[in-house]
Amino acid sequence: MAEPGRGYTRWRLILPVLAVPVLVLGFLVVGLFVWALSDEEDPRAGGLQKVPCAEALAFGGASPPADAHVGKCTMQQGIDTAYAAVLSMPREDVRGWLRETYPNAPEARSDASCGALCLDVSHEDGLPAAAGAHVVQVRVEYVNAETARVRFSAFTM
């Protein structure tokens, strides 16, 4: 039997056989990551879903203010449910709307950590029993002398 020539090894036969499963496994792993990241906006996967603003506000026991311009309203559902709404309304109407909506809640506070006005309400401190949310957070920014931007969040925990 003849000896193999110099530089000839059996690895020439084994390496291509081993490389194919490694490449297939690599493509599967990369494909899994791409697939997992691509359904981020899919409502079935817990992504953001546009909803009517009346629905978002009602989840937190509120109704749209009379002179408000309703912006973007969303819902995200996973383990917990979270609704968000962005409203523009006259500055002078904000405190009255909050008092009317949450009469048993503490007064909205003003401090630098949360914007012009903040209100955090739970069932323990003034959230209406009919609200589906466990907590409501309202953050108010003053856009100019007449207008306020209200960021409303209602969620379960």
Short mmCIF file of all heavy atoms in Angstrom, two decimals, residues 52-118:
data_model
loop_
_atom_site.label_atom_id
_atom_site.label_comp_id
_atom_site.label_asym_id
_atom_site.label_seq_id
_atom_site.Cartn_x
_atom_site.Cartn_y
_atom_site.Cartn_z
N PRO A 52 -58.17 54.00 20.33
CA PRO A 52 -58.86 55.27 20.50
C PRO A 52 -58.49 55.88 21.86
O PRO A 52 -58.37 55.17 22.86
CB PRO A 52 -60.34 54.88 20.47
CG PRO A 52 -60.39 53.54 19.83
CD PRO A 52 -59.09 52.87 20.14
N CYS A 53 -58.31 57.19 21.88
CA CYS A 53 -57.88 57.85 23.11
C CYS A 53 -58.93 57.75 24.22
O CYS A 53 -58.59 57.71 25.39
CB CYS A 53 -57.50 59.30 22.82
SG CYS A 53 -55.93 59.38 21.93
N ALA A 54 -60.20 57.69 23.85
CA ALA A 54 -61.24 57.52 24.87
C ALA A 54 -61.03 56.19 25.61
O ALA A 54 -61.23 56.11 26.83
CB ALA A 54 -62.62 57.57 24.23
N GLU A 55 -60.61 55.15 24.90
CA GLU A 55 -60.33 53.85 25.52
C GLU A 55 -59.14 53.95 26.47
O GLU A 55 -59.17 53.42 27.59
CB GLU A 55 -60.05 52.81 24.43
CG GLU A 55 -59.68 51.45 24.95
CD GLU A 55 -59.33 50.47 23.83
OE1 GLU A 55 -59.82 50.63 22.70
OE2 GLU A 55 -58.57 49.52 24.11
N ALA A 56 -58.08 54.62 26.03
CA ALA A 56 -56.88 54.77 26.88
C ALA A 56 -57.19 55.54 28.15
O ALA A 56 -56.78 55.14 29.25
CB ALA A 56 -55.77 55.46 26.09
N LEU A 57 -57.94 56.62 28.02
CA LEU A 57 -58.28 57.43 29.20
C LEU A 57 -59.26 56.68 30.11
O LEU A 57 -59.13 56.71 31.33
CB LEU A 57 -58.87 58.77 28.76
CG LEU A 57 -57.87 59.71 28.07
CD1 LEU A 57 -58.61 60.87 27.41
CD2 LEU A 57 -56.83 60.22 29.03
N ALA A 58 -60.22 55.98 29.53
CA ALA A 58 -61.21 55.25 30.33
C ALA A 58 -60.56 54.14 31.15
O ALA A 58 -61.00 53.86 32.27
CB ALA A 58 -62.28 54.66 29.42
N PHE A 59 -59.49 53.54 30.64
CA PHE A 59 -58.79 52.51 31.40
C PHE A 59 -58.24 53.07 32.71
O PHE A 59 -58.15 52.37 33.70
CB PHE A 59 -57.65 51.92 30.55
CG PHE A 59 -56.98 50.74 31.18
CD1 PHE A 59 -57.62 49.51 31.27
CD2 PHE A 59 -55.69 50.84 31.68
CE1 PHE A 59 -57.00 48.42 31.85
CE2 PHE A 59 -55.06 49.75 32.27
CZ PHE A 59 -55.71 48.53 32.34
N GLY A 60 -57.93 54.36 32.70
CA GLY A 60 -57.47 55.03 33.91
C GLY A 60 -58.55 55.79 34.63
O GLY A 60 -58.27 56.61 35.51
N GLY A 61 -59.82 55.59 34.28
CA GLY A 61 -60.92 56.24 34.96
C GLY A 61 -61.13 57.69 34.56
O GLY A 61 -61.73 58.46 35.31
N ALA A 62 -60.64 58.09 33.39
CA ALA A 62 -60.75 59.48 32.94
C ALA A 62 -61.55 59.56 31.65
O ALA A 62 -61.80 58.56 30.98
CB ALA A 62 -59.36 60.07 32.72
N SER A 63 -61.95 60.77 31.31
CA SER A 63 -62.57 61.04 30.01
C SER A 63 -61.82 62.20 29.39
O SER A 63 -61.18 62.99 30.09
CB SER A 63 -64.05 61.36 30.18
OG SER A 63 -64.21 62.46 31.05
N PRO A 64 -61.88 62.33 28.06
CA PRO A 64 -61.14 63.40 27.41
C PRO A 64 -61.61 64.78 27.90
O PRO A 64 -62.81 65.01 28.04
CB PRO A 64 -61.44 63.22 25.93
CG PRO A 64 -61.91 61.81 25.80
CD PRO A 64 -62.56 61.47 27.10
N PRO A 65 -60.67 65.69 28.17
CA PRO A 65 -61.06 67.06 28.54
C PRO A 65 -61.81 67.73 27.40
O PRO A 65 -61.58 67.42 26.23
CB PRO A 65 -59.73 67.76 28.81
CG PRO A 65 -58.72 66.69 28.92
CD PRO A 65 -59.23 65.51 28.18
N ALA A 66 -62.67 68.68 27.74
CA ALA A 66 -63.53 69.33 26.74
C ALA A 66 -62.74 70.03 25.64
O ALA A 66 -63.04 69.85 24.46
CB ALA A 66 -64.45 70.32 27.44
N ASP A 67 -61.74 70.80 25.97
CA ASP A 67 -61.01 71.59 24.97
C ASP A 67 -59.68 70.97 24.59
O ASP A 67 -58.77 71.67 24.15
CB ASP A 67 -60.79 73.01 25.50
CG ASP A 67 -62.10 73.77 25.62
OD1 ASP A 67 -63.04 73.46 24.88
OD2 ASP A 67 -62.17 74.68 26.48
N ALA A 68 -59.54 69.68 24.75
CA ALA A 68 -58.26 69.03 24.48
C ALA A 68 -58.15 68.60 23.03
O ALA A 68 -59.13 68.21 22.40
CB ALA A 68 -58.08 67.83 25.38
N HIS A 69 -56.95 68.66 22.53
CA HIS A 69 -56.61 68.07 21.24
C HIS A 69 -55.92 66.75 21.56
O HIS A 69 -54.87 66.73 22.20
CB HIS A 69 -55.70 68.98 20.43
CG HIS A 69 -55.15 68.31 19.21
ND1 HIS A 69 -55.94 68.01 18.13
CD2 HIS A 69 -53.90 67.87 18.92
CE1 HIS A 69 -55.17 67.41 17.21
NE2 HIS A 69 -53.95 67.31 17.67
N VAL A 70 -56.53 65.67 21.17
CA VAL A 70 -56.01 64.35 21.51
C VAL A 70 -54.97 63.95 20.50
O VAL A 70 -55.18 64.06 19.29
CB VAL A 70 -57.16 63.32 21.56
CG1 VAL A 70 -56.64 61.97 21.93
CG2 VAL A 70 -58.24 63.77 22.52
N GLY A 71 -53.82 63.51 20.98
CA GLY A 71 -52.72 63.09 20.12
C GLY A 71 -52.68 61.59 19.97
O GLY A 71 -53.70 60.93 19.81
N LYS A 72 -51.50 61.04 20.12
CA LYS A 72 -51.27 59.61 19.93
C LYS A 72 -51.67 58.84 21.19
O LYS A 72 -51.29 59.18 22.30
CB LYS A 72 -49.78 59.39 19.64
CG LYS A 72 -49.39 57.98 19.39
CD LYS A 72 -47.91 57.90 19.09
CE LYS A 72 -47.48 56.46 18.93
NZ LYS A 72 -46.04 56.34 18.76
N CYS A 73 -52.43 57.77 21.01
CA CYS A 73 -52.84 56.92 22.12
C CYS A 73 -52.50 55.48 21.78
O CYS A 73 -52.78 55.01 20.68
CB CYS A 73 -54.33 57.07 22.39
SG CYS A 73 -54.75 58.75 22.90
N THR A 74 -51.87 54.79 22.74
CA THR A 74 -51.41 53.43 22.50
C THR A 74 -51.75 52.51 23.66
O THR A 74 -52.04 52.96 24.76
CB THR A 74 -49.88 53.39 22.29
OG1 THR A 74 -49.25 53.92 23.46
CG2 THR A 74 -49.47 54.17 21.06
N MET A 75 -51.67 51.21 23.36
CA MET A 75 -51.87 50.18 24.37
C MET A 75 -50.80 49.11 24.12
O MET A 75 -50.48 48.80 22.98
CB MET A 75 -53.26 49.55 24.24
CG MET A 75 -53.60 48.58 25.37
SD MET A 75 -53.29 46.85 25.00
CE MET A 75 -54.54 46.49 23.81
N GLN A 76 -50.25 48.62 25.21
CA GLN A 76 -49.30 47.52 25.12
C GLN A 76 -49.72 46.47 26.13
O GLN A 76 -49.99 46.80 27.30
CB GLN A 76 -47.89 48.01 25.42
CG GLN A 76 -46.84 46.96 25.21
CD GLN A 76 -45.42 47.54 25.28
OE1 GLN A 76 -45.22 48.63 25.77
NE2 GLN A 76 -44.47 46.78 24.78
N GLN A 77 -49.79 45.24 25.67
CA GLN A 77 -50.27 44.17 26.55
C GLN A 77 -49.28 43.03 26.54
O GLN A 77 -48.85 42.56 25.50
CB GLN A 77 -51.64 43.69 26.07
CG GLN A 77 -52.38 42.92 27.10
CD GLN A 77 -53.85 42.80 26.74
OE1 GLN A 77 -54.22 42.95 25.58
NE2 GLN A 77 -54.69 42.52 27.71
N GLY A 78 -48.92 42.61 27.72
CA GLY A 78 -48.04 41.46 27.92
C GLY A 78 -48.48 40.83 29.22
O GLY A 78 -49.64 40.47 29.39
N ILE A 79 -47.59 40.76 30.17
CA ILE A 79 -47.96 40.31 31.51
C ILE A 79 -48.90 41.33 32.13
O ILE A 79 -49.88 41.00 32.77
CB ILE A 79 -46.72 40.10 32.38
CG1 ILE A 79 -45.89 38.95 31.81
CG2 ILE A 79 -47.10 39.82 33.82
CD1 ILE A 79 -44.56 38.76 32.49
N ASP A 80 -48.57 42.61 31.93
CA ASP A 80 -49.39 43.72 32.40
C ASP A 80 -49.97 44.45 31.20
O ASP A 80 -49.55 44.22 30.07
CB ASP A 80 -48.56 44.69 33.24
CG ASP A 80 -47.98 44.04 34.47
OD1 ASP A 80 -48.72 43.29 35.13
OD2 ASP A 80 -46.80 44.26 34.77
N THR A 81 -50.92 45.33 31.44
CA THR A 81 -51.52 46.14 30.39
C THR A 81 -51.17 47.60 30.67
O THR A 81 -51.28 48.05 31.80
CB THR A 81 -53.05 45.97 30.37
OG1 THR A 81 -53.33 44.58 30.16
CG2 THR A 81 -53.68 46.79 29.27
N ALA A 82 -50.75 48.31 29.62
CA ALA A 82 -50.39 49.72 29.79
C ALA A 82 -50.99 50.54 28.65
O ALA A 82 -50.83 50.20 27.47
CB ALA A 82 -48.87 49.88 29.80
N TYR A 83 -51.70 51.59 29.01
CA TYR A 83 -52.24 52.53 28.04
C TYR A 83 -51.50 53.86 28.20
O TYR A 83 -51.13 54.23 29.32
CB TYR A 83 -53.73 52.78 28.30
CG TYR A 83 -54.65 51.70 27.81
CD1 TYR A 83 -54.92 50.58 28.58
CD2 TYR A 83 -55.26 51.80 26.56
CE1 TYR A 83 -55.77 49.59 28.14
CE2 TYR A 83 -56.13 50.81 26.11
CZ TYR A 83 -56.37 49.71 26.90
OH TYR A 83 -57.21 48.74 26.45
N ALA A 84 -51.33 54.57 27.10
CA ALA A 84 -50.71 55.89 27.14
C ALA A 84 -51.47 56.81 26.19
O ALA A 84 -51.94 56.39 25.14
CB ALA A 84 -49.25 55.81 26.72
N ALA A 85 -51.58 58.07 26.60
CA ALA A 85 -52.25 59.09 25.77
C ALA A 85 -51.47 60.39 25.90
O ALA A 85 -50.94 60.70 26.98
CB ALA A 85 -53.69 59.29 26.23
N VAL A 86 -51.42 61.13 24.82
CA VAL A 86 -50.81 62.46 24.82
C VAL A 86 -51.87 63.45 24.38
O VAL A 86 -52.48 63.30 23.32
CB VAL A 86 -49.59 62.52 23.88
CG1 VAL A 86 -48.99 63.92 23.88
CG2 VAL A 86 -48.54 61.50 24.28
N LEU A 87 -52.11 64.46 25.21
CA LEU A 87 -53.14 65.47 24.96
C LEU A 87 -52.51 66.85 24.97
O LEU A 87 -51.56 67.10 25.70
CB LEU A 87 -54.21 65.43 26.06
CG LEU A 87 -54.75 64.09 26.50
CD1 LEU A 87 -55.52 64.24 27.80
CD2 LEU A 87 -55.65 63.53 25.43
N SER A 88 -53.06 67.75 24.18
CA SER A 88 -52.74 69.17 24.28
C SER A 88 -54.02 69.88 24.70
O SER A 88 -55.08 69.63 24.14
CB SER A 88 -52.28 69.72 22.93
OG SER A 88 -51.04 69.17 22.59
N MET A 89 -53.89 70.76 25.71
CA MET A 89 -55.07 71.44 26.21
C MET A 89 -54.66 72.79 26.79
O MET A 89 -53.48 73.04 27.02
CB MET A 89 -55.77 70.58 27.26
CG MET A 89 -54.96 70.27 28.48
SD MET A 89 -55.77 69.09 29.61
CE MET A 89 -57.17 70.02 30.16
N PRO A 90 -55.64 73.67 27.02
CA PRO A 90 -55.31 74.96 27.62
C PRO A 90 -54.71 74.76 29.02
O PRO A 90 -55.19 73.94 29.80
CB PRO A 90 -56.66 75.68 27.71
CG PRO A 90 -57.51 75.00 26.68
CD PRO A 90 -57.04 73.58 26.63
N ARG A 91 -53.65 75.52 29.32
CA ARG A 91 -52.97 75.40 30.61
C ARG A 91 -53.92 75.61 31.79
O ARG A 91 -53.86 74.88 32.77
CB ARG A 91 -51.85 76.45 30.71
CG ARG A 91 -50.57 76.01 30.12
CD ARG A 91 -49.54 77.10 30.17
NE ARG A 91 -49.10 77.39 31.54
CZ ARG A 91 -47.96 78.01 31.81
NH1 ARG A 91 -47.17 78.41 30.83
NH2 ARG A 91 -47.62 78.25 33.05
N GLU A 92 -54.81 76.60 31.65
CA GLU A 92 -55.67 76.92 32.79
C GLU A 92 -56.70 75.83 33.09
O GLU A 92 -57.29 75.82 34.16
CB GLU A 92 -56.37 78.28 32.60
CG GLU A 92 -57.44 78.27 31.53
CD GLU A 92 -57.02 78.95 30.25
OE1 GLU A 92 -55.87 79.38 30.12
OE2 GLU A 92 -57.88 79.06 29.36
N ASP A 93 -56.91 74.89 32.16
CA ASP A 93 -57.90 73.83 32.37
C ASP A 93 -57.33 72.56 33.00
O ASP A 93 -58.10 71.70 33.44
CB ASP A 93 -58.55 73.45 31.04
CG ASP A 93 -59.36 74.59 30.43
OD1 ASP A 93 -59.61 75.58 31.15
OD2 ASP A 93 -59.73 74.47 29.25
N VAL A 94 -56.01 72.45 33.07
CA VAL A 94 -55.39 71.19 33.50
C VAL A 94 -55.75 70.83 34.94
O VAL A 94 -56.24 69.74 35.21
CB VAL A 94 -53.86 71.23 33.32
CG1 VAL A 94 -53.22 69.98 33.90
CG2 VAL A 94 -53.51 71.37 31.85
N ARG A 95 -55.52 71.74 35.87
CA ARG A 95 -55.79 71.44 37.28
C ARG A 95 -57.27 71.11 37.51
O ARG A 95 -57.60 70.18 38.25
CB ARG A 95 -55.35 72.59 38.18
CG ARG A 95 -53.86 72.64 38.37
CD ARG A 95 -53.50 73.70 39.42
NE ARG A 95 -52.08 73.91 39.50
CZ ARG A 95 -51.27 73.25 40.33
NH1 ARG A 95 -51.78 72.35 41.15
NH2 ARG A 95 -49.99 73.50 40.34
N GLY A 96 -58.16 71.86 36.87
CA GLY A 96 -59.60 71.60 37.01
C GLY A 96 -59.97 70.23 36.48
O GLY A 96 -60.77 69.51 37.10
N TRP A 97 -59.41 69.83 35.33
CA TRP A 97 -59.68 68.52 34.76
C TRP A 97 -59.19 67.42 35.70
O TRP A 97 -59.88 66.43 35.93
CB TRP A 97 -59.03 68.39 33.38
CG TRP A 97 -59.17 67.03 32.77
CD1 TRP A 97 -60.31 66.43 32.33
CD2 TRP A 97 -58.12 66.09 32.55
NE1 TRP A 97 -60.04 65.17 31.84
CE2 TRP A 97 -58.70 64.94 31.96
CE3 TRP A 97 -56.75 66.10 32.76
CZ2 TRP A 97 -57.94 63.83 31.60
CZ3 TRP A 97 -56.00 64.99 32.41
CH2 TRP A 97 -56.60 63.87 31.84
N LEU A 98 -57.99 67.59 36.27
CA LEU A 98 -57.46 66.59 37.19
C LEU A 98 -58.31 66.49 38.45
O LEU A 98 -58.59 65.39 38.93
CB LEU A 98 -56.00 66.91 37.55
CG LEU A 98 -54.99 66.71 36.41
CD1 LEU A 98 -53.61 67.21 36.82
CD2 LEU A 98 -54.94 65.26 35.97
N ARG A 99 -58.74 67.63 39.00
CA ARG A 99 -59.58 67.60 40.21
C ARG A 99 -60.92 66.94 39.93
O ARG A 99 -61.45 66.18 40.74
CB ARG A 99 -59.81 69.03 40.72
CG ARG A 99 -58.70 69.53 41.59
CD ARG A 99 -59.09 70.85 42.25
NE ARG A 99 -57.91 71.66 42.36
CZ ARG A 99 -57.65 72.76 41.67
NH1 ARG A 99 -58.53 73.23 40.82
NH2 ARG A 99 -56.53 73.42 41.85
N GLU A 100 -61.51 67.26 38.77
CA GLU A 100 -62.80 66.68 38.39
C GLU A 100 -62.68 65.18 38.13
O GLU A 100 -63.56 64.40 38.50
CB GLU A 100 -63.32 67.39 37.14
CG GLU A 100 -64.66 66.90 36.64
CD GLU A 100 -65.06 67.62 35.36
OE1 GLU A 100 -65.01 68.86 35.32
OE2 GLU A 100 -65.40 66.92 34.40
N THR A 101 -61.59 64.76 37.49
CA THR A 101 -61.40 63.36 37.13
C THR A 101 -61.07 62.51 38.35
O THR A 101 -61.57 61.40 38.50
CB THR A 101 -60.28 63.23 36.09
OG1 THR A 101 -60.63 64.01 34.94
CG2 THR A 101 -60.09 61.80 35.65
N TYR A 102 -60.22 63.03 39.23
CA TYR A 102 -59.78 62.29 40.41
C TYR A 102 -60.05 63.13 41.67
O TYR A 102 -59.12 63.64 42.29
CB TYR A 102 -58.29 61.94 40.30
CG TYR A 102 -57.98 61.14 39.05
CD1 TYR A 102 -57.24 61.69 38.01
CD2 TYR A 102 -58.47 59.84 38.91
CE1 TYR A 102 -56.97 60.96 36.87
CE2 TYR A 102 -58.20 59.11 37.77
CZ TYR A 102 -57.45 59.67 36.75
OH TYR A 102 -57.19 58.95 35.62
N PRO A 103 -61.32 63.25 42.07
CA PRO A 103 -61.65 64.13 43.20
C PRO A 103 -61.07 63.66 44.54
O PRO A 103 -60.85 64.47 45.43
CB PRO A 103 -63.17 64.11 43.23
CG PRO A 103 -63.58 62.89 42.50
CD PRO A 103 -62.50 62.61 41.50
N ASN A 104 -60.81 62.38 44.71
CA ASN A 104 -60.29 61.86 45.97
C ASN A 104 -58.78 61.71 45.99
O ASN A 104 -58.21 61.22 46.96
CB ASN A 104 -60.94 60.51 46.29
CG ASN A 104 -62.44 60.63 46.42
OD1 ASN A 104 -62.94 61.61 46.94
ND2 ASN A 104 -63.15 59.63 45.92
N ALA A 105 -58.13 62.10 44.91
CA ALA A 105 -56.67 61.98 44.80
C ALA A 105 -55.98 63.18 45.46
O ALA A 105 -56.59 64.23 45.63
CB ALA A 105 -56.26 61.89 43.33
N PRO A 106 -54.72 63.04 45.81
CA PRO A 106 -53.99 64.19 46.31
C PRO A 106 -53.88 65.26 45.23
O PRO A 106 -54.02 64.98 44.04
CB PRO A 106 -52.61 63.63 46.66
CG PRO A 106 -52.57 62.23 46.18
CD PRO A 106 -53.93 61.83 45.75
N GLU A 107 -53.62 66.49 45.64
CA GLU A 107 -53.46 67.60 44.70
C GLU A 107 -52.24 67.35 43.80
O GLU A 107 -51.23 66.81 44.26
CB GLU A 107 -53.29 68.90 45.49
CG GLU A 107 -53.30 70.15 44.64
CD GLU A 107 -54.65 70.46 44.01
OE1 GLU A 107 -55.70 70.03 44.54
OE2 GLU A 107 -54.66 71.12 42.96
N ALA A 108 -52.35 67.73 42.53
CA ALA A 108 -51.21 67.62 41.63
C ALA A 108 -50.07 68.47 42.17
O ALA A 108 -50.28 69.56 42.69
CB ALA A 108 -51.60 68.09 40.23
N ARG A 109 -48.87 67.94 42.06
CA ARG A 109 -47.71 68.64 42.61
C ARG A 109 -46.86 69.23 41.50
O ARG A 109 -46.90 68.76 40.36
CB ARG A 109 -46.89 67.71 43.50
CG ARG A 109 -46.23 66.58 42.75
CD ARG A 109 -45.57 65.57 43.69
NE ARG A 109 -44.75 64.62 42.98
CZ ARG A 109 -45.19 63.59 42.28
NH1 ARG A 109 -46.49 63.38 42.19
NH2 ARG A 109 -44.37 62.78 41.67
N SER A 110 -46.09 70.23 41.86
CA SER A 110 -45.14 70.85 40.93
C SER A 110 -43.75 70.65 41.49
O SER A 110 -43.46 71.07 42.60
CB SER A 110 -45.39 72.36 40.82
OG SER A 110 -46.53 72.61 40.08
N ASP A 111 -42.93 69.96 40.73
CA ASP A 111 -41.52 69.87 41.09
C ASP A 111 -40.69 69.62 39.85
O ASP A 111 -41.18 69.19 38.82
CB ASP A 111 -41.25 68.84 42.20
CG ASP A 111 -41.61 67.42 41.82
OD1 ASP A 111 -41.26 66.99 40.72
OD2 ASP A 111 -42.24 66.74 42.64
N ALA A 112 -39.42 69.91 39.96
CA ALA A 112 -38.53 69.85 38.80
C ALA A 112 -38.31 68.44 38.28
O ALA A 112 -37.94 68.25 37.13
CB ALA A 112 -37.19 70.48 39.15
N SER A 113 -38.54 67.43 39.11
CA SER A 113 -38.25 66.06 38.69
C SER A 113 -39.27 65.50 37.70
O SER A 113 -39.00 64.51 37.04
CB SER A 113 -38.17 65.15 39.92
OG SER A 113 -39.44 65.04 40.52
N CYS A 114 -40.45 66.12 37.60
CA CYS A 114 -41.47 65.51 36.74
C CYS A 114 -42.11 66.48 35.75
O CYS A 114 -43.03 66.11 35.06
CB CYS A 114 -42.55 64.86 37.60
SG CYS A 114 -43.52 66.03 38.53
N GLY A 115 -41.67 67.71 35.68
CA GLY A 115 -42.27 68.66 34.75
C GLY A 115 -43.05 69.72 35.50
O GLY A 115 -42.87 69.94 36.69
N ALA A 116 -43.96 70.36 34.82
CA ALA A 116 -44.72 71.45 35.42
C ALA A 116 -45.69 70.94 36.49
O ALA A 116 -45.81 71.54 37.55
CB ALA A 116 -45.48 72.20 34.34
N LEU A 117 -46.38 69.84 36.20
CA LEU A 117 -47.32 69.24 37.16
C LEU A 117 -47.21 67.72 37.08
O LEU A 117 -46.99 67.16 36.00
CB LEU A 117 -48.76 69.60 36.82
CG LEU A 117 -49.29 70.96 37.18
CD1 LEU A 117 -50.72 71.11 36.64
CD2 LEU A 117 -49.26 71.19 38.66
N CYS A 118 -47.42 67.06 38.23
CA CYS A 118 -47.41 65.59 38.29
C CYS A 118 -48.55 65.13 39.15
O CYS A 118 -48.89 65.76 40.14
CB CYS A 118 -46.13 65.09 38.95
SG CYS A 118 -44.63 65.69 38.23
#
